């Protein structure tokens, strides 16, 4: 299937666990990329999802309606998905304003950005750290530091596979810091689907990196990025 780009930021088709929800995509097609879901529309999604999750529990042999610890669980789970775990599927990304770099052409690095996501395959959490960097270039743009955290949150608060999440964060930073001469993103995360089910190995972590421009082509830029990353790791 051809990939669909909404607002030039999304890199998987809508409706996929790693992409925006079908509800938001339908509104965007009518009202443009800044369209948002109303509170009533979100409540409807939560209510319908809770109803289906109740059926899921029933099929697993749970009398959830009678059990005081489970009677509100379908609603709790549906709210957690829409408001927290998958929040990035139901909201467009915050508008990120960029500013002229005013001649700054060095590395802009932010490390140890905490990341919580959910594996698309098993719906188990992924937790770790993200390290990001870009070099604006003489005519390039810079963005407020906390915007890098917001970009990470927007794409992580969905279903994810770590490889694709790495690319999504990279592409968003690259687009927003137009004129940059390189972007680097590295994620180091543990996957509960590995530690809690299947092979059940505790403590294994997965590192992924997406580098472009100077970080890919110049040894010195790549070394500077990884030196900053290792500075956190050795603390
Ligand atoms: Zn998994």
């Amino acid at each position: 299937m051809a990939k669909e780009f909404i607002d030039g930021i999304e890199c998987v088709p809508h409706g996929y666990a790693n992409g925006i929800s079908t509800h938001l995509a339908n509104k965007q097609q009518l009202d443009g990329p800044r369209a948002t879901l109303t509170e009533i529309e979100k409540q409807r999604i939560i209510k319908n999802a809770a109803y289906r999750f109740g059926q899921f529990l029933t099929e697993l042999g749970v009398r959830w309606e009678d059990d005081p610890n489970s009677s509100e669980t379908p609603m709790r789970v549906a709210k957690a998905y829409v408001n927290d775990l998958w929040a990035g599927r139901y909201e467009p990304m915050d508008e990120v304003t960029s500013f002229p770099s005013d001649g700054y052409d060095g590395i802009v690095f932010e490390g140890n950005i905490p990341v919580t996501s959910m594996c698309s395959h098993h719906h188990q959490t992924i937790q770790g750290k993200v390290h990001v960097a870009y070099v604006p270039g003489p005519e390039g743009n810079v963005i407020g530091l906390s915007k890098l955290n917001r970009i990470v949150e927007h794409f992580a608060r969905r279903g994810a596979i770590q490889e694709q999440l790495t690319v999504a964060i990279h592409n968003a930073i690259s687009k927003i810091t137009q004129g940059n001469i390189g972007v680097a993103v590295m994620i180091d995360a543990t996957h509960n689907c590995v530690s809690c089910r299947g092979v059940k190995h505790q403590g294994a972590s997965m590192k992924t990196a997406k580098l472009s421009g100077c970080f890919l082509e110049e040894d010195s830029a790549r070394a500077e990025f990884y030196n900053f990353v290792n500075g956190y790791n050795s603390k």
Side-chain angles (χ1 to χ4, degrees):
M1 185 193 287
K3 286 191 173 175
E4 193 172 334
F5 294 84
I6 295 172
D7 200 18
I9 290 286
E10 295 297 328
C11 48
V12 298
H14 70 78
Y16 282 26
N18 311 13
I20 61 168
S21 82
T22 48
H23 319 83
L24 182 59
N26 290 339
K27 285 204 85 171
Q28 288 188 342
Q29 267 150 19
L30 287 173
D31 301 333
R34 303 310 308 163
T36 55
L37 295 170
T38 65
E39 219 27 60
I40 290 169
E41 287 167 330
K42 274 193 182 179
Q43 290 307 321
R44 193 179 305 133
I45 295 168
I46 290 170
K47 195 164 152 257
N48 291 341
Y51 173 72
R52 299 286 188 187
F53 194 78
Q55 292 181 319
F56 176 81
L57 289 178
T58 301
E59 290 300 326
L60 292 174
V62 180
R63 288 192 295 116
W64 58 272
E65 298 99 321
D66 302 326
D67 175 358
N69 286 311
S70 304
S71 58
E72 295 298 320
T73 295
M75 202 53 159
R76 284 190 198 102
V77 171
K79 278 184 187 168
Y81 269 77
V82 173
N83 296 335
D84 295 305
L85 297 166
W86 279 10
R89 306 183 74 241
Y90 301 99
E91 297 283 348
M93 190 166 75
D94 288 350
E95 202 110 44
V96 178
T97 312
S98 60
F99 308 94
S101 60
D102 290 333
Y104 181 78
D105 59 359
I107 189 171
V108 178
F109 176 93
E110 189 179 13
N112 266 9
I113 301 171
V115 66
T116 300
S117 191
M118 179 189 270
C119 121
S120 298
H121 296 159
H122 305 98
H123 288 209
Q124 297 290 305
T125 52
I126 300 169
Q127 285 192 299
K129 302 285 185 190
V130 185
H131 310 281
V132 302
Y134 65 96
V135 177
E139 306 296 326
N141 291 329
V142 294
I143 55 178
L145 187 59
S146 68
K147 302 301 182 191
L148 293 171
N149 303 64
R150 294 207 177 279
I151 291 168
V152 169
E153 275 291 294
H154 180 69
F155 288 101
R157 291 294 179 167
R158 304 167 170 206
I161 61 160
Q162 189 174 320
E163 297 90 331
Q164 191 274 336
L165 176 60
T166 313
V167 174
I169 294 169
H170 171 280
N171 289 358
I173 294 171
S174 188
K175 183 175 166 61
I176 293 163
T177 60
Q178 255 175 12
N180 74 72
I181 59 167
V183 174
V185 177
M186 185 199 152
I187 304 181
D188 183 1
T190 56
H191 292 234
N192 267 344
C193 65
V194 174
S195 55
C196 297
R197 53 155 295 286
V199 72
K200 300 187 189 70
H201 279 180
Q202 302 280 334
S205 79
M206 179 177 182
K207 288 187 166 85
T208 46
K210 167 76 179 166
L211 310 177
S212 63
C214 62
F215 294 107
L216 199 57
E217 291 151 15
E218 294 171 25
D219 291 347
S220 59
R222 187 163 56 247
E224 189 174 19
F225 175 66
Y226 283 116
N227 279 341
F228 282 149
V229 169
N230 290 334
Y232 286 104
N233 290 343
S234 61
K235 271 179 192 165

